[in-house]
Amino acid sequence: MDVRLYTIPGSHPGVAVQTMMKAKGIPFKRTDLFPVMQKLVVRSMGFPKQTVPAMKIDGRKVQGSRAIARELDRLRPEPPFFPADPELRAKVEEAERFGDEELQHPVRQMIWWALRKDKAPLRSYSEGAKLGIPTGLAVATAGPILAATAYYNEATDENVRRGLAELPGFLDRIDTWIEAGVLDGEQLNVADYQIAPSLRLAMTLQDLRPAIDTRPAGKFARRVIPDYAGDAPPIFPPAWLQPLRSVSTA
Ligand SMILES: N[C@@H](CCC(=O)N[C@@H](CS)C(=O)NCC(=O)O)C(=O)O
């Protein structure tokens, strides 16, 4: 099987797919693209959307972390990505949908907001990436890319502040799923692979790490993804973090 993954450094759905590939034991090659440029590159290759992760499997195109998860599970059924019990499977698919449609984007907006304010940590997020130019040069010239990426992801003050306020509720939902055995079971499933990378990306922000690390969600995220590149010092206005403070001291 000839598999190539297209992603951008630090992409949480990109990390999700890489973790799934490892779980299935499928070897793959990876092309790291620059943010913004990935839109043009994947469209010019004939993918229907402009997002990564995008994957070519023996020339066939599969795009989006959920579609890729299903394709990998079809190609290599072991270990299974879905529980056999239909009731549990429905809950897993709901948690996966939440991870993709509700959790992924606010975390993306937080990261781009933070990197736009201070691009120095960008180097840490590019660890292990092969961008075709030296990382130092990529970071030094990243200003316009960061501005454009923050813009198209709508990483505004208002949206990021709202995302931070919603995060405790999201963490409660994740902890409840862990408690119920929907997440963090013996056999990892699509929802585990979808949600853990968003948590791990959020945990690269020092502002958020303690509030997540002290909860079952944090332990779960570290189990699924022991290492995640990136480390950003405190950057959010303290008032924006208030909703999380009351959680971590509870
Ligand atoms: N939720 C989808 C979309 C992923 C997504 O939005 N990826 C970002 C990078 S992390 C992207 O390529 N954005 C470009 C765009 O929205 O045009 C998935 O999990 O595959």
Side-chain angles (χ1 to χ4, degrees):
M1 210 186 309
D2 182 32
V3 183
R4 181 169 288 274
L5 170 69
Y6 298 88
T7 187
I8 60 174
S11 162
H12 39 336
V15 169
V17 167
Q18 291 176 71
T19 313
M20 292 181 212
M21 302 284 287
K22 280 184 207 137
K24 292 286 191 190
I26 302 175
F28 64 99
K29 297 182 205 93
R30 192 182 78 199
T31 299
D32 292 322
L33 302 167
F34 275 98
V36 185
M37 296 303 292
Q38 97 272 24
K39 291 163 169 284
L40 303 172
V41 175
V42 294
R43 284 310 297 267
S44 69
M45 282 189 302
F47 284 97
K49 291 180 281 179
Q50 55 185 10
T51 55
V52 293
M55 189 174 268
K56 275 193 188 166
I57 306 174
D58 292 330
R60 268 181 314 109
K61 301 180 189 83
V62 192
Q63 191 171 29
S65 54
R66 279 155 83 188
I68 292 172
R70 279 151 186 77
E71 184 60 12
L72 296 179
D73 206 43
R74 193 185 67 80
L75 290 169
R76 178 119 0 140
E78 291 298 326
F81 277 174
F82 297 91
D85 173 56
E87 216 173 294
L88 183 56
R89 179 177 175 135
K91 289 180 185 160
V92 164
E93 289 195 274
E94 168 53 20
E96 183 200 28
R97 188 210 56 77
F98 157 84
D100 183 15
E101 294 176 12
E102 296 185 53
L103 178 66
Q104 213 186 76
H105 198 56
V107 174
R108 182 180 289 120
Q109 289 176 320
M110 290 170 204
I111 293 292
W112 290 120
W113 187 97
L115 289 173
R116 199 193 164 194
K117 283 263 180 264
D118 174 15
K119 68 178 159 72
L122 195 57
R123 180 185 277 275
S124 67
Y125 288 85
S126 311
E127 212 176 87
K130 293 184 208 109
L131 286 164
I133 62 166
T135 310
L137 182 61
V139 172
T141 55
I145 287 181
L146 290 168
T149 310
Y151 176 77
Y152 78 70
N153 280 304
E154 299 179 316
T156 59
D157 290 5
E158 194 191 348
N159 287 341
V160 169
R161 189 169 189 174
R162 187 182 323 111
L164 290 167
E166 281 174 357
L167 194 53
F170 285 176
L171 294 171
D172 286 345
R173 276 175 89 172
I174 294 167
D175 284 353
T176 305
W177 276 319
I178 293 171
E179 176 79 31
V182 175
L183 296 175
D184 204 21
E186 203 176 309
Q187 180 65 62
L188 295 178
N189 62 49
V190 280
D192 294 306
Y193 293 120
Q194 179 63 240
I195 290 174
S198 290
L199 292 172
R200 289 300 270 123
L201 181 57
M203 289 159 81
T204 64
L205 295 165
Q206 291 179 22
D207 275 327
L208 306 187
R209 200 179 301 153
I212 304 177
D213 249 337
T214 48
R215 309 180 55 132
K219 198 164 166 246
F220 150 69
R222 287 189 186 277
R223 171 196 166 198
V224 181
I225 318 231
D227 299 306
Y228 199 108
D231 181 34
I235 187 104
F236 296 125
W240 296 12
L241 295 168
Q242 207 47 50
L244 280 144
R245 289 241 164 70
S246 34
V247 168
S248 59
T249 55

